[in-house]
Amino acid sequence: MHIPDNYLSPVTCGVMLTAMAPIWTVSILKVKAQIKTKKETVPLIGVAAALAFLIMMFNLPIPGGTTAHAVGGTLLAVLLGPWAACLALSLTLLLQALLFGDGGVLAFGANAFNMAVIMPFVGYACYQIGRRLHHEKIGLAVGAYMGINLAALMAGVELGLQPLLFHSANGAPLYCPYGLQVTIPAMLAAHLLVAGWVEALFSVLVYQFIKKAAPSTLYQAPSASTSFKIFYGLLLGLIVLSPLGLLASGTAWGEWNTRELSQRLQAAAPTGMTHGVHFNALFSDYAIHGLSLPLGYILSAATAVLIFTLLIRVVQHDR
């Protein structure tokens, strides 16, 4: 679901980034107000960002030779509240793009809208309905499933609109070459059939674990003294297990580089893609030069957790 650079036109990227600006602004204001009553919100944002990063490293095989992954957007909204979850997921997506080349730098606004807005807010709304009906776990599961699939639908729409809106004089697509009739079914199939169910199951299991081990950290719980040892244990376990994400071979649908896309098309990639921005991330695809892929995966996961921890320490110190 991470849209790479050059699949969306610069105009589309600019529109999506502009749309995210007021959302991020409101998120910051909402979180500042939340911190006054729940001081643990700041460190929890760092933990949640790291948790989402690790969840997304576990790729799932999809029929047809592609992959997908869970995100944890609804889980983060239940843990932090939807506005703080939006900030945490945005931080995760930004780090993925800048340091690991997962998702485009120019496409950051679109990816943030899909995964840091649609997922947590839709998921949290479903959770709240379930909670009012005294079936919060069902609400959480439905919210997680609905959130990730609606985010996938939006990504499919963004990609599928490109040939309609941006093409050459002779009608050749300049960016994503697939229309809505291809992108929407392709994006939804992977998430309706596989990723959505994993998202729901993982969200419920982790929610149950947190509710028993650290219930005061949940957004709806009264503020209380919080121990973060349980969260760091969870993150450490996911870091160690992260190479399991390598078992699923193949590139996620719509995340191919220009060479892979040309092979699929059996023709040259659209000119807007070949002449677009090509940002080279330091640890592209979570690989570290000179190390085996599993070890590079583990070190990439550990590096991300360390960066989020240090970032939150800096924010807490400034406050």
Side-chain angles (χ1 to χ4, degrees):
M1 200 186 303
H2 289 70
I3 299 175
D5 277 332
N6 305 318
Y7 273 77
L8 302 179
S9 72
V11 172
T12 304
C13 293
V15 169
M16 298 307 297
L17 191 62
T18 301
M20 282 303 302
I23 297 174
W24 283 322
T25 301
V26 174
S27 295
I28 292 171
L29 294 176
K30 293 281 188 180
V31 169
K32 282 184 176 180
Q34 182 176 324
I35 292 171
K36 294 179 181 178
T37 56
K38 291 181 75 73
K39 294 182 180 180
E40 64 271 22
T41 297
V42 174
L44 275 174
I45 287 176
V47 170
L51 179 60
F53 184 96
L54 295 174
I55 291 171
M56 287 188 262
M57 293 187 75
F58 289 85
N59 294 311
L60 306 166
I62 302 297
T66 63
T67 60
H69 56 73
V71 176
T74 299
L75 175 65
L76 265 60
V78 172
L79 179 63
L80 296 168
W83 294 104
C86 176
L87 290 182
L89 286 162
S90 295
L91 286 174
T92 299
L93 293 168
L94 184 61
L95 182 67
Q96 287 174 326
L98 292 177
L99 194 58
F100 301 98
D102 195 1
V105 175
L106 291 182
F108 171 58
N111 287 325
F113 185 80
N114 300 339
M115 286 182 272
V117 176
I118 291 178
M119 289 188 66
F121 282 95
V122 169
Y124 189 73
C126 294
Y127 166 76
Q128 284 290 77
I129 293 172
R131 192 165 178 265
R132 292 192 186 103
L133 296 174
H134 307 290
H135 292 288
E136 57 185 16
K137 291 178 185 177
I138 294 176
L140 174 61
V142 171
Y145 186 81
M146 290 291 295
I148 195 170
N149 278 291
L150 286 175
L153 172 62
M154 180 56 67
V157 170
E158 291 160 356
L159 291 168
L161 285 176
Q162 300 308 301
L164 293 175
L165 299 177
F166 306 99
H167 48 78
S168 64
N170 62 1
L174 294 176
Y175 302 99
C176 176
Y178 299 108
L180 293 168
Q181 72 279 10
V182 173
T183 59
I184 290 179
M187 291 300 297
L188 282 180
H191 294 84
L192 285 171
L193 297 176
V194 180
W197 297 105
V198 174
E199 177 90 6
L201 179 61
F202 182 85
S203 298
V204 171
L205 290 177
V206 174
Y207 172 77
Q208 288 180 309
F209 174 73
I210 292 173
K211 194 170 183 179
K212 290 181 179 179
S216 63
T217 59
L218 295 171
Y219 178 57
Q220 292 290 341
S223 183
S225 177
T226 302
S227 173
F228 287 88
K229 291 182 180 179
I230 194 72
F231 288 103
Y232 290 124
L234 176 61
L235 295 179
L236 179 60
L238 290 174
I239 289 172
V240 173
L241 294 173
S242 62
L244 292 176
L246 295 169
L247 295 177
S249 60
T251 304
W253 198 95
E255 297 184 22
W256 311 288
N257 58 35
T258 52
R259 178 180 55 81
E260 291 174 311
L261 180 61
S262 295
Q263 290 175 347
R264 293 181 66 89
L265 295 172
Q266 296 185 336
T271 56
M273 298 184 70
T274 56
H275 295 92
V277 173
H278 297 283
F279 176 76
N280 294 316
L282 184 60
F283 303 123
S284 181
D285 296 326
Y286 306 99
I288 299 178
H289 181 71
L291 298 179
S292 65
L293 200 52
L295 182 56
Y297 224 60
I298 290 174
L299 289 180
S300 293
T303 298
V305 172
L306 179 60
I307 289 173
F308 288 128
T309 301
L310 293 175
L311 179 62
I312 292 304
R313 290 279 178 92
V314 170
V315 172
Q316 284 183 302
H317 179 73
D318 290 342
R319 292 183 67 252

